[in-house]
Amino acid sequence: MEDCYLGFDFSTQQLKAVVINDKLKVTHQATVKYDIDLPEFRTHGGVHKHDDEVTVTAPPSMWIKALDLILDLLRLQDLDFSTVVAISGAAQQHGSVYWKRGAEEILDDIAGNNFLYDQLQGCFSVRDSPVWMDESTSLECALLERATSGPLPLARVTGSRAFERFTGNQIAKLFRMKPDAYNNTERISLVSSFGATLFLGRYAPIDISDGSGMNLLDIHSKDWSDFCLNMCAPNLREKLGTPVPSCTVLGTIATYYCERFGFSDTCKIVAFTGDNPASLAGTQLNKGEMAISLGTSDTLFLWLANPKPSLNGHILCNPLDSKEYMALLCFKNGSLTRERIRDECAEGSWQLFNDLLESTPRGNFGNIGMYFDSAEIVPPQVKGDYRFNKNNELIERFSKEVEVRALVEGQFLARRVHAEDFGFSIHSASRIIATGGASTNKSLIQVLADVFNMPVYVLEFANSACLGAALRAKHGLLGDFPFQNMFVEPLGLHLSCSPAKDAAQVYGPMLTRFRMIQGKLQKRHAPFGFDEI
């Protein structure tokens, strides 16, 4: 029986698993949707939004129970767990988990005759974990940037200016607001290292790629910045552990999984990482190519050798080569915003949404829309819906078909504007690789190709982070071996759309207008009252 590799993705709304064989072909898949399959946790979109409208959390016990369920689903698909030789995973970035004192002893003693959830639900000093959608740490961000003489010096060390969702600022808030909970915390995990911890039966280290999205890691030394640690909370280095390269083999699987599911006791656990670094692996991105993940948030990333930190984007350590880097631009208003406009304009039907989109011409008669359900990351703090006619006048509403195209064009124009501002060379890139749930919508992808004036290739397997986790599981066992050398040919990439011949002519001037309008919006900080710009 041939060896296989198991990858997980602890994403915002669901837990996903994929199995690949030694020839890198997908053999098994399973999904647990938190809202639907675990209604007892009463999440909406996988999270709890609090009354202050800026605090957003999720219970780690829900993720544990989802793991119980998904392993049973794989067993029902007749997966022979004894053939799994390595496991790795991905997870939503910036979420943090707080293990209380004594939790590792419980992890070391989990029994195979009971569910993980029943044995581990009491292991946390903080019952609900802050996740990437949380915006409640503005004070902590301001203090950190002030201490480092401004946002750009901080970005030069940690890869990013201070962001509310970043774990260092979340830890600083916990220490300020709930010092007893902080002092009762034995180990702080990211959601990714939390997942690895569950499989190891002991605390797993944070990998440097996901760790570089915390405002705590020095991306050059690949170790925690003592200055940033001390600014956040005392004894933090001890609570975080030592970061490791993303391809590190952490150890073998805990006895629990051998007893309950029949895993081999030689099955290796490769460090888990963030969903965006894992997507870089899943899309098989090469130097000179850009990728966009169209999911709950839209994320644009690129492989870099010489990073140039910016105030709007992020530099992370590369998960496939610890000496290299990846650039990341994240836009909070992605698929959930597209779903809202679909519900408002197309009766909840994607087919009707696409029909409306295709019924309007490229350029949308000069109309431009910007839609921010949540305060956006780039541009920062802008929230609300803004509609502009061809004269750049702010208006109250569009017709349904204009609204749909204004949303899609506006989102992709924003992606290109900020990519170029971050230093991406759009014209030197040969193609875009699209992934994520919305990448299967060819009407959306055609607009993406037109706005960027580049061909768009789509990964046939939509869950690139989960696939990337499985691929990284194999890569971890190969040691010092180039990731791209595992492939005889690219896996599952096919040309989806090529740009229209007049794409540059239509979107060149539109890009200039969009940049001007967005700049003025940002200066005024929504909401604001004016009739025109």
PDB file of all heavy atoms in Angstrom, residues 5-8 14-20 25-32 69-79 460-464 466-467 470:
ATOM      1  N   TYR A   5      -0.145  11.363   2.430  1.00  0.00           N
ATOM      2  CA  TYR A   5       0.167  12.537   3.226  1.00  0.00           C
ATOM      3  C   TYR A   5      -1.124  13.285   3.508  1.00  0.00           C
ATOM      4  O   TYR A   5      -1.945  13.483   2.605  1.00  0.00           O
ATOM      5  CB  TYR A   5       1.164  13.435   2.477  1.00  0.00           C
ATOM      6  CG  TYR A   5       2.389  12.669   2.028  1.00  0.00           C
ATOM      7  CD1 TYR A   5       2.385  11.952   0.818  1.00  0.00           C
ATOM      8  CD2 TYR A   5       3.534  12.622   2.810  1.00  0.00           C
ATOM      9  CE1 TYR A   5       3.487  11.220   0.419  1.00  0.00           C
ATOM     10  CE2 TYR A   5       4.643  11.886   2.406  1.00  0.00           C
ATOM     11  CZ  TYR A   5       4.611  11.186   1.215  1.00  0.00           C
ATOM     12  OH  TYR A   5       5.704  10.456   0.825  1.00  0.00           O
ATOM     13  N   LEU A   6      -1.292  13.723   4.754  1.00  0.00           N
ATOM     14  CA  LEU A   6      -2.547  14.303   5.206  1.00  0.00           C
ATOM     15  C   LEU A   6      -2.349  15.771   5.550  1.00  0.00           C
ATOM     16  O   LEU A   6      -1.429  16.119   6.305  1.00  0.00           O
ATOM     17  CB  LEU A   6      -3.043  13.523   6.427  1.00  0.00           C
ATOM     18  CG  LEU A   6      -4.318  13.956   7.143  1.00  0.00           C
ATOM     19  CD1 LEU A   6      -5.489  14.055   6.191  1.00  0.00           C
ATOM     20  CD2 LEU A   6      -4.632  12.988   8.283  1.00  0.00           C
ATOM     21  N   GLY A   7      -3.180  16.630   4.977  1.00  0.00           N
ATOM     22  CA  GLY A   7      -3.112  18.061   5.248  1.00  0.00           C
ATOM     23  C   GLY A   7      -4.426  18.570   5.798  1.00  0.00           C
ATOM     24  O   GLY A   7      -5.507  18.124   5.384  1.00  0.00           O
ATOM     25  N   PHE A   8      -4.350  19.522   6.736  1.00  0.00           N
ATOM     26  CA  PHE A   8      -5.529  20.135   7.342  1.00  0.00           C
ATOM     27  C   PHE A   8      -5.484  21.643   7.144  1.00  0.00           C
ATOM     28  O   PHE A   8      -4.419  22.241   7.007  1.00  0.00           O
ATOM     29  CB  PHE A   8      -5.589  19.835   8.846  1.00  0.00           C
ATOM     30  CG  PHE A   8      -5.863  18.405   9.183  1.00  0.00           C
ATOM     31  CD1 PHE A   8      -4.821  17.507   9.372  1.00  0.00           C
ATOM     32  CD2 PHE A   8      -7.165  17.928   9.299  1.00  0.00           C
ATOM     33  CE1 PHE A   8      -5.056  16.178   9.676  1.00  0.00           C
ATOM     34  CE2 PHE A   8      -7.419  16.603   9.596  1.00  0.00           C
ATOM     35  CZ  PHE A   8      -6.363  15.732   9.790  1.00  0.00           C
ATOM     36  N   GLN A  14     -14.559  26.819   8.491  1.00  0.00           N
ATOM     37  CA  GLN A  14     -14.628  25.366   8.414  1.00  0.00           C
ATOM     38  C   GLN A  14     -13.253  24.747   8.622  1.00  0.00           C
ATOM     39  O   GLN A  14     -12.221  25.418   8.500  1.00  0.00           O
ATOM     40  CB  GLN A  14     -15.199  24.933   7.065  1.00  0.00           C
ATOM     41  CG  GLN A  14     -14.465  25.503   5.865  1.00  0.00           C
ATOM     42  CD  GLN A  14     -15.251  25.393   4.577  1.00  0.00           C
ATOM     43  OE1 GLN A  14     -16.189  24.621   4.472  1.00  0.00           O
ATOM     44  NE2 GLN A  14     -14.863  26.157   3.571  1.00  0.00           N
ATOM     45  N   LEU A  15     -13.265  23.465   8.956  1.00  0.00           N
ATOM     46  CA  LEU A  15     -12.045  22.662   9.001  1.00  0.00           C
ATOM     47  C   LEU A  15     -12.060  21.752   7.782  1.00  0.00           C
ATOM     48  O   LEU A  15     -13.043  21.047   7.532  1.00  0.00           O
ATOM     49  CB  LEU A  15     -11.991  21.841  10.286  1.00  0.00           C
ATOM     50  CG  LEU A  15     -10.847  20.814  10.379  1.00  0.00           C
ATOM     51  CD1 LEU A  15      -9.499  21.494  10.316  1.00  0.00           C
ATOM     52  CD2 LEU A  15     -10.969  19.989  11.665  1.00  0.00           C
ATOM     53  N   LYS A  16     -10.958  21.754   7.039  1.00  0.00           N
ATOM     54  CA  LYS A  16     -10.862  20.953   5.826  1.00  0.00           C
ATOM     55  C   LYS A  16      -9.687  19.994   5.939  1.00  0.00           C
ATOM     56  O   LYS A  16      -8.686  20.298   6.597  1.00  0.00           O
ATOM     57  CB  LYS A  16     -10.683  21.859   4.603  1.00  0.00           C
ATOM     58  CG  LYS A  16     -11.913  22.705   4.273  1.00  0.00           C
ATOM     59  CD  LYS A  16     -11.600  23.839   3.331  1.00  0.00           C
ATOM     60  CE  LYS A  16     -10.942  24.995   4.061  1.00  0.00           C
ATOM     61  NZ  LYS A  16     -10.851  26.224   3.247  1.00  0.00           N
ATOM     62  N   ALA A  17      -9.820  18.854   5.274  1.00  0.00           N
ATOM     63  CA  ALA A  17      -8.737  17.874   5.239  1.00  0.00           C
ATOM     64  C   ALA A  17      -8.602  17.340   3.821  1.00  0.00           C
ATOM     65  O   ALA A  17      -9.597  17.184   3.110  1.00  0.00           O
ATOM     66  CB  ALA A  17      -9.012  16.723   6.203  1.00  0.00           C
ATOM     67  N   VAL A  18      -7.369  17.054   3.410  1.00  0.00           N
ATOM     68  CA  VAL A  18      -7.126  16.459   2.100  1.00  0.00           C
ATOM     69  C   VAL A  18      -5.987  15.459   2.236  1.00  0.00           C
ATOM     70  O   VAL A  18      -5.038  15.675   3.004  1.00  0.00           O
ATOM     71  CB  VAL A  18      -6.793  17.529   1.041  1.00  0.00           C
ATOM     72  CG1 VAL A  18      -5.520  18.277   1.377  1.00  0.00           C
ATOM     73  CG2 VAL A  18      -6.676  16.911  -0.345  1.00  0.00           C
ATOM     74  N   VAL A  19      -6.107  14.360   1.519  1.00  0.00           N
ATOM     75  CA  VAL A  19      -5.074  13.323   1.494  1.00  0.00           C
ATOM     76  C   VAL A  19      -4.531  13.223   0.076  1.00  0.00           C
ATOM     77  O   VAL A  19      -5.307  13.202  -0.890  1.00  0.00           O
ATOM     78  CB  VAL A  19      -5.647  11.958   1.932  1.00  0.00           C
ATOM     79  CG1 VAL A  19      -4.552  10.891   1.907  1.00  0.00           C
ATOM     80  CG2 VAL A  19      -6.268  12.050   3.314  1.00  0.00           C
ATOM     81  N   ILE A  20      -3.198  13.187  -0.060  1.00  0.00           N
ATOM     82  CA  ILE A  20      -2.579  12.962  -1.361  1.00  0.00           C
ATOM     83  C   ILE A  20      -1.709  11.716  -1.272  1.00  0.00           C
ATOM     84  O   ILE A  20      -1.198  11.361  -0.202  1.00  0.00           O
ATOM     85  CB  ILE A  20      -1.730  14.157  -1.833  1.00  0.00           C
ATOM     86  CG1 ILE A  20      -0.602  14.454  -0.846  1.00  0.00           C
ATOM     87  CG2 ILE A  20      -2.601  15.381  -2.049  1.00  0.00           C
ATOM     88  CD1 ILE A  20       0.383  15.516  -1.330  1.00  0.00           C
ATOM     89  N   LYS A  25      -1.421  12.938  -6.027  1.00  0.00           N
ATOM     90  CA  LYS A  25      -2.809  12.979  -6.465  1.00  0.00           C
ATOM     91  C   LYS A  25      -3.730  12.954  -5.249  1.00  0.00           C
ATOM     92  O   LYS A  25      -3.500  12.211  -4.292  1.00  0.00           O
ATOM     93  CB  LYS A  25      -3.135  11.797  -7.375  1.00  0.00           C
ATOM     94  CG  LYS A  25      -2.251  11.709  -8.622  1.00  0.00           C
ATOM     95  CD  LYS A  25      -2.385  12.946  -9.499  1.00  0.00           C
ATOM     96  CE  LYS A  25      -1.535  12.803 -10.764  1.00  0.00           C
ATOM     97  NZ  LYS A  25      -1.598  14.039 -11.609  1.00  0.00           N
ATOM     98  N   VAL A  26      -4.800  13.770  -5.293  1.00  0.00           N
ATOM     99  CA  VAL A  26      -5.744  13.831  -4.187  1.00  0.00           C
ATOM    100  C   VAL A  26      -6.581  12.552  -4.160  1.00  0.00           C
ATOM    101  O   VAL A  26      -7.170  12.160  -5.173  1.00  0.00           O
ATOM    102  CB  VAL A  26      -6.656  15.067  -4.318  1.00  0.00           C
ATOM    103  CG1 VAL A  26      -7.746  15.056  -3.243  1.00  0.00           C
ATOM    104  CG2 VAL A  26      -5.836  16.351  -4.214  1.00  0.00           C
ATOM    105  N   THR A  27      -6.639  11.904  -2.996  1.00  0.00           N
ATOM    106  CA  THR A  27      -7.390  10.653  -2.865  1.00  0.00           C
ATOM    107  C   THR A  27      -8.604  10.786  -1.940  1.00  0.00           C
ATOM    108  O   THR A  27      -9.578  10.060  -2.100  1.00  0.00           O
ATOM    109  CB  THR A  27      -6.489   9.531  -2.333  1.00  0.00           C
ATOM    110  OG1 THR A  27      -5.970   9.900  -1.034  1.00  0.00           O
ATOM    111  CG2 THR A  27      -5.333   9.279  -3.292  1.00  0.00           C
ATOM    112  N   HIS A  28      -8.528  11.676  -0.950  1.00  0.00           N
ATOM    113  CA  HIS A  28      -9.630  11.841  -0.004  1.00  0.00           C
ATOM    114  C   HIS A  28      -9.757  13.316   0.368  1.00  0.00           C
ATOM    115  O   HIS A  28      -8.762  14.045   0.441  1.00  0.00           O
ATOM    116  CB  HIS A  28      -9.397  11.042   1.290  1.00  0.00           C
ATOM    117  CG  HIS A  28      -9.318   9.564   1.104  1.00  0.00           C
ATOM    118  ND1 HIS A  28      -8.189   8.935   0.604  1.00  0.00           N
ATOM    119  CD2 HIS A  28     -10.217   8.572   1.354  1.00  0.00           C
ATOM    120  CE1 HIS A  28      -8.384   7.639   0.552  1.00  0.00           C
ATOM    121  NE2 HIS A  28      -9.611   7.379   0.994  1.00  0.00           N
ATOM    122  N   GLN A  29     -11.006  13.743   0.625  1.00  0.00           N
ATOM    123  CA  GLN A  29     -11.274  15.100   1.093  1.00  0.00           C
ATOM    124  C   GLN A  29     -12.427  15.054   2.085  1.00  0.00           C
ATOM    125  O   GLN A  29     -13.325  14.216   1.967  1.00  0.00           O
ATOM    126  CB  GLN A  29     -11.668  16.028  -0.055  1.00  0.00           C
ATOM    127  CG  GLN A  29     -10.631  16.209  -1.137  1.00  0.00           C
ATOM    128  CD  GLN A  29     -11.111  17.162  -2.215  1.00  0.00           C
ATOM    129  OE1 GLN A  29     -11.430  18.320  -1.939  1.00  0.00           O
ATOM    130  NE2 GLN A  29     -11.178  16.673  -3.438  1.00  0.00           N
ATOM    131  N   ALA A  30     -12.416  15.963   3.054  1.00  0.00           N
ATOM    132  CA  ALA A  30     -13.528  16.060   4.000  1.00  0.00           C
ATOM    133  C   ALA A  30     -13.583  17.482   4.540  1.00  0.00           C
ATOM    134  O   ALA A  30     -12.572  18.191   4.573  1.00  0.00           O
ATOM    135  CB  ALA A  30     -13.365  15.071   5.153  1.00  0.00           C
ATOM    136  N   THR A  31     -14.792  17.888   4.954  1.00  0.00           N
ATOM    137  CA  THR A  31     -15.008  19.249   5.458  1.00  0.00           C
ATOM    138  C   THR A  31     -15.992  19.211   6.622  1.00  0.00           C
ATOM    139  O   THR A  31     -16.986  18.486   6.579  1.00  0.00           O
ATOM    140  CB  THR A  31     -15.579  20.165   4.347  1.00  0.00           C
ATOM    141  OG1 THR A  31     -14.660  20.202   3.250  1.00  0.00           O
ATOM    142  CG2 THR A  31     -15.789  21.581   4.869  1.00  0.00           C
ATOM    143  N   VAL A  32     -15.723  20.025   7.635  1.00  0.00           N
ATOM    144  CA  VAL A  32     -16.657  20.260   8.734  1.00  0.00           C
ATOM    145  C   VAL A  32     -16.926  21.763   8.781  1.00  0.00           C
ATOM    146  O   VAL A  32     -15.992  22.558   8.955  1.00  0.00           O
ATOM    147  CB  VAL A  32     -16.101  19.781  10.088  1.00  0.00           C
ATOM    148  CG1 VAL A  32     -17.027  20.202  11.228  1.00  0.00           C
ATOM    149  CG2 VAL A  32     -15.919  18.274  10.084  1.00  0.00           C
ATOM    150  N   LEU A  69     -14.692  15.257  14.464  1.00  0.00           N
ATOM    151  CA  LEU A  69     -15.648  14.937  13.408  1.00  0.00           C
ATOM    152  C   LEU A  69     -14.968  14.603  12.093  1.00  0.00           C
ATOM    153  O   LEU A  69     -15.340  13.649  11.399  1.00  0.00           O
ATOM    154  CB  LEU A  69     -16.620  16.106  13.206  1.00  0.00           C
ATOM    155  CG  LEU A  69     -17.680  16.340  14.287  1.00  0.00           C
ATOM    156  CD1 LEU A  69     -18.492  17.585  13.955  1.00  0.00           C
ATOM    157  CD2 LEU A  69     -18.597  15.136  14.401  1.00  0.00           C
ATOM    158  N   ILE A  70     -13.955  15.384  11.726  1.00  0.00           N
ATOM    159  CA  ILE A  70     -13.376  15.216  10.392  1.00  0.00           C
ATOM    160  C   ILE A  70     -12.570  13.919  10.296  1.00  0.00           C
ATOM    161  O   ILE A  70     -12.537  13.269   9.230  1.00  0.00           O
ATOM    162  CB  ILE A  70     -12.520  16.445  10.003  1.00  0.00           C
ATOM    163  CG1 ILE A  70     -12.459  16.577   8.476  1.00  0.00           C
ATOM    164  CG2 ILE A  70     -11.114  16.379  10.592  1.00  0.00           C
ATOM    165  CD1 ILE A  70     -11.982  17.921   7.992  1.00  0.00           C
ATOM    166  N   LEU A  71     -11.954  13.503  11.393  1.00  0.00           N
ATOM    167  CA  LEU A  71     -11.248  12.226  11.360  1.00  0.00           C
ATOM    168  C   LEU A  71     -12.235  11.063  11.211  1.00  0.00           C
ATOM    169  O   LEU A  71     -11.956  10.088  10.504  1.00  0.00           O
ATOM    170  CB  LEU A  71     -10.407  12.067  12.626  1.00  0.00           C
ATOM    171  CG  LEU A  71      -9.166  12.963  12.690  1.00  0.00           C
ATOM    172  CD1 LEU A  71      -8.522  12.891  14.063  1.00  0.00           C
ATOM    173  CD2 LEU A  71      -8.155  12.578  11.606  1.00  0.00           C
ATOM    174  N   ASP A  72     -13.406  11.200  11.857  1.00  0.00           N
ATOM    175  CA  ASP A  72     -14.436  10.165  11.660  1.00  0.00           C
ATOM    176  C   ASP A  72     -14.949  10.159  10.221  1.00  0.00           C
ATOM    177  O   ASP A  72     -15.238   9.098   9.661  1.00  0.00           O
ATOM    178  CB  ASP A  72     -15.591  10.396  12.637  1.00  0.00           C
ATOM    179  CG  ASP A  72     -15.300   9.821  14.019  1.00  0.00           C
ATOM    180  OD1 ASP A  72     -14.490   8.887  14.112  1.00  0.00           O
ATOM    181  OD2 ASP A  72     -15.876  10.317  15.003  1.00  0.00           O
ATOM    182  N   LEU A  73     -15.064  11.342   9.607  1.00  0.00           N
ATOM    183  CA  LEU A  73     -15.500  11.410   8.209  1.00  0.00           C
ATOM    184  C   LEU A  73     -14.491  10.716   7.295  1.00  0.00           C
ATOM    185  O   LEU A  73     -14.871  10.009   6.347  1.00  0.00           O
ATOM    186  CB  LEU A  73     -15.688  12.870   7.784  1.00  0.00           C
ATOM    187  CG  LEU A  73     -16.878  13.615   8.384  1.00  0.00           C
ATOM    188  CD1 LEU A  73     -16.845  15.089   7.969  1.00  0.00           C
ATOM    189  CD2 LEU A  73     -18.199  12.981   7.938  1.00  0.00           C
ATOM    190  N   LEU A  74     -13.218  10.922   7.547  1.00  0.00           N
ATOM    191  CA  LEU A  74     -12.192  10.265   6.736  1.00  0.00           C
ATOM    192  C   LEU A  74     -12.228   8.757   6.942  1.00  0.00           C
ATOM    193  O   LEU A  74     -12.008   7.980   6.000  1.00  0.00           O
ATOM    194  CB  LEU A  74     -10.813  10.824   7.087  1.00  0.00           C
ATOM    195  CG  LEU A  74     -10.540  12.260   6.635  1.00  0.00           C
ATOM    196  CD1 LEU A  74      -9.231  12.767   7.227  1.00  0.00           C
ATOM    197  CD2 LEU A  74     -10.500  12.374   5.111  1.00  0.00           C
ATOM    198  N   ARG A  75     -12.509   8.328   8.160  1.00  0.00           N
ATOM    199  CA  ARG A  75     -12.616   6.893   8.413  1.00  0.00           C
ATOM    200  C   ARG A  75     -13.803   6.294   7.654  1.00  0.00           C
ATOM    201  O   ARG A  75     -13.720   5.177   7.128  1.00  0.00           O
ATOM    202  CB  ARG A  75     -12.761   6.644   9.921  1.00  0.00           C
ATOM    203  CG  ARG A  75     -12.902   5.175  10.276  1.00  0.00           C
ATOM    204  CD  ARG A  75     -12.497   4.883  11.707  1.00  0.00           C
ATOM    205  NE  ARG A  75     -13.168   5.738  12.678  1.00  0.00           N
ATOM    206  CZ  ARG A  75     -12.884   5.720  13.982  1.00  0.00           C
ATOM    207  NH1 ARG A  75     -11.946   4.893  14.452  1.00  0.00           N
ATOM    208  NH2 ARG A  75     -13.524   6.507  14.814  1.00  0.00           N
ATOM    209  N   LEU A  76     -14.919   7.062   7.571  1.00  0.00           N
ATOM    210  CA  LEU A  76     -16.080   6.583   6.821  1.00  0.00           C
ATOM    211  C   LEU A  76     -15.785   6.477   5.326  1.00  0.00           C
ATOM    212  O   LEU A  76     -16.466   5.738   4.601  1.00  0.00           O
ATOM    213  CB  LEU A  76     -17.271   7.511   7.056  1.00  0.00           C
ATOM    214  CG  LEU A  76     -17.904   7.455   8.456  1.00  0.00           C
ATOM    215  CD1 LEU A  76     -18.948   8.553   8.621  1.00  0.00           C
ATOM    216  CD2 LEU A  76     -18.531   6.082   8.698  1.00  0.00           C
ATOM    217  N   GLN A  77     -14.778   7.238   4.856  1.00  0.00           N
ATOM    218  CA  GLN A  77     -14.358   7.135   3.456  1.00  0.00           C
ATOM    219  C   GLN A  77     -13.343   6.010   3.235  1.00  0.00           C
ATOM    220  O   GLN A  77     -12.749   5.905   2.173  1.00  0.00           O
ATOM    221  CB  GLN A  77     -13.747   8.468   3.005  1.00  0.00           C
ATOM    222  CG  GLN A  77     -14.717   9.639   2.982  1.00  0.00           C
ATOM    223  CD  GLN A  77     -14.049  10.931   2.529  1.00  0.00           C
ATOM    224  OE1 GLN A  77     -13.036  10.915   1.836  1.00  0.00           O
ATOM    225  NE2 GLN A  77     -14.618  12.055   2.919  1.00  0.00           N
ATOM    226  N   ASP A  78     -13.157   5.203   4.270  1.00  0.00           N
ATOM    227  CA  ASP A  78     -12.247   4.043   4.200  1.00  0.00           C
ATOM    228  C   ASP A  78     -10.788   4.436   4.025  1.00  0.00           C
ATOM    229  O   ASP A  78      -9.997   3.695   3.413  1.00  0.00           O
ATOM    230  CB  ASP A  78     -12.656   3.083   3.072  1.00  0.00           C
ATOM    231  CG  ASP A  78     -14.007   2.431   3.333  1.00  0.00           C
ATOM    232  OD1 ASP A  78     -14.302   2.163   4.516  1.00  0.00           O
ATOM    233  OD2 ASP A  78     -14.761   2.217   2.369  1.00  0.00           O
ATOM    234  N   LEU A  79     -10.412   5.610   4.565  1.00  0.00           N
ATOM    235  CA  LEU A  79      -8.995   5.951   4.563  1.00  0.00           C
ATOM    236  C   LEU A  79      -8.268   5.028   5.538  1.00  0.00           C
ATOM    237  O   LEU A  79      -8.652   4.894   6.706  1.00  0.00           O
ATOM    238  CB  LEU A  79      -8.796   7.411   4.990  1.00  0.00           C
ATOM    239  CG  LEU A  79      -7.338   7.835   5.216  1.00  0.00           C
ATOM    240  CD1 LEU A  79      -6.530   7.733   3.930  1.00  0.00           C
ATOM    241  CD2 LEU A  79      -7.268   9.264   5.776  1.00  0.00           C
ATOM    242  N   GLU A 460      -7.283  23.798 -10.013  1.00  0.00           N
ATOM    243  CA  GLU A 460      -8.498  22.985 -10.070  1.00  0.00           C
ATOM    244  C   GLU A 460      -8.978  22.596  -8.676  1.00  0.00           C
ATOM    245  O   GLU A 460     -10.170  22.472  -8.425  1.00  0.00           O
ATOM    246  CB  GLU A 460      -8.240  21.726 -10.911  1.00  0.00           C
ATOM    247  CG  GLU A 460      -8.025  22.021 -12.386  1.00  0.00           C
ATOM    248  CD  GLU A 460      -7.666  20.773 -13.172  1.00  0.00           C
ATOM    249  OE1 GLU A 460      -7.555  19.693 -12.557  1.00  0.00           O
ATOM    250  OE2 GLU A 460      -7.472  20.887 -14.394  1.00  0.00           O
ATOM    251  N   PHE A 461      -8.024  22.411  -7.778  1.00  0.00           N
ATOM    252  CA  PHE A 461      -8.367  22.110  -6.389  1.00  0.00           C
ATOM    253  C   PHE A 461      -8.494  23.441  -5.664  1.00  0.00           C
ATOM    254  O   PHE A 461      -7.516  24.148  -5.449  1.00  0.00           O
ATOM    255  CB  PHE A 461      -7.271  21.247  -5.756  1.00  0.00           C
ATOM    256  CG  PHE A 461      -7.648  20.692  -4.409  1.00  0.00           C
ATOM    257  CD1 PHE A 461      -8.444  19.564  -4.300  1.00  0.00           C
ATOM    258  CD2 PHE A 461      -7.210  21.306  -3.249  1.00  0.00           C
ATOM    259  CE1 PHE A 461      -8.788  19.056  -3.064  1.00  0.00           C
ATOM    260  CE2 PHE A 461      -7.546  20.808  -2.011  1.00  0.00           C
ATOM    261  CZ  PHE A 461      -8.337  19.681  -1.913  1.00  0.00           C
ATOM    262  N   ALA A 462      -9.717  23.807  -5.285  1.00  0.00           N
ATOM    263  CA  ALA A 462      -9.985  25.158  -4.792  1.00  0.00           C
ATOM    264  C   ALA A 462      -9.304  25.453  -3.463  1.00  0.00           C
ATOM    265  O   ALA A 462      -8.937  26.596  -3.190  1.00  0.00           O
ATOM    266  CB  ALA A 462     -11.491  25.378  -4.666  1.00  0.00           C
ATOM    267  N   ASN A 463      -9.119  24.449  -2.614  1.00  0.00           N
ATOM    268  CA  ASN A 463      -8.560  24.677  -1.282  1.00  0.00           C
ATOM    269  C   ASN A 463      -7.030  24.615  -1.330  1.00  0.00           C
ATOM    270  O   ASN A 463      -6.420  23.631  -0.918  1.00  0.00           O
ATOM    271  CB  ASN A 463      -9.112  23.651  -0.291  1.00  0.00           C
ATOM    272  CG  ASN A 463     -10.612  23.772  -0.118  1.00  0.00           C
ATOM    273  OD1 ASN A 463     -11.148  24.871  -0.070  1.00  0.00           O
ATOM    274  ND2 ASN A 463     -11.297  22.640  -0.047  1.00  0.00           N
ATOM    275  N   SER A 464      -6.416  25.701  -1.797  1.00  0.00           N
ATOM    276  CA  SER A 464      -4.969  25.682  -1.997  1.00  0.00           C
ATOM    277  C   SER A 464      -4.214  25.576  -0.683  1.00  0.00           C
ATOM    278  O   SER A 464      -3.136  24.972  -0.624  1.00  0.00           O
ATOM    279  CB  SER A 464      -4.527  26.940  -2.746  1.00  0.00           C
ATOM    280  OG  SER A 464      -4.803  28.106  -1.988  1.00  0.00           O
ATOM    281  N   CYS A 466      -5.144  23.930   2.020  1.00  0.00           N
ATOM    282  CA  CYS A 466      -5.221  22.537   2.460  1.00  0.00           C
ATOM    283  C   CYS A 466      -4.323  21.645   1.600  1.00  0.00           C
ATOM    284  O   CYS A 466      -3.593  20.783   2.118  1.00  0.00           O
ATOM    285  CB  CYS A 466      -6.670  22.068   2.400  1.00  0.00           C
ATOM    286  SG  CYS A 466      -7.043  20.663   3.466  1.00  0.00           S
ATOM    287  N   LEU A 467      -4.363  21.852   0.286  1.00  0.00           N
ATOM    288  CA  LEU A 467      -3.472  21.110  -0.601  1.00  0.00           C
ATOM    289  C   LEU A 467      -2.016  21.424  -0.280  1.00  0.00           C
ATOM    290  O   LEU A 467      -1.160  20.532  -0.234  1.00  0.00           O
ATOM    291  CB  LEU A 467      -3.776  21.441  -2.060  1.00  0.00           C
ATOM    292  CG  LEU A 467      -2.865  20.801  -3.107  1.00  0.00           C
ATOM    293  CD1 LEU A 467      -2.953  19.280  -3.045  1.00  0.00           C
ATOM    294  CD2 LEU A 467      -3.211  21.291  -4.517  1.00  0.00           C
ATOM    295  N   ALA A 470      -0.811  19.439   2.663  1.00  0.00           N
ATOM    296  CA  ALA A 470      -0.480  18.053   2.326  1.00  0.00           C
ATOM    297  C   ALA A 470       0.852  17.963   1.563  1.00  0.00           C
ATOM    298  O   ALA A 470       1.675  17.074   1.820  1.00  0.00           O
ATOM    299  CB  ALA A 470      -1.611  17.433   1.508  1.00  0.00           C
TER     300      ALA A 470
END
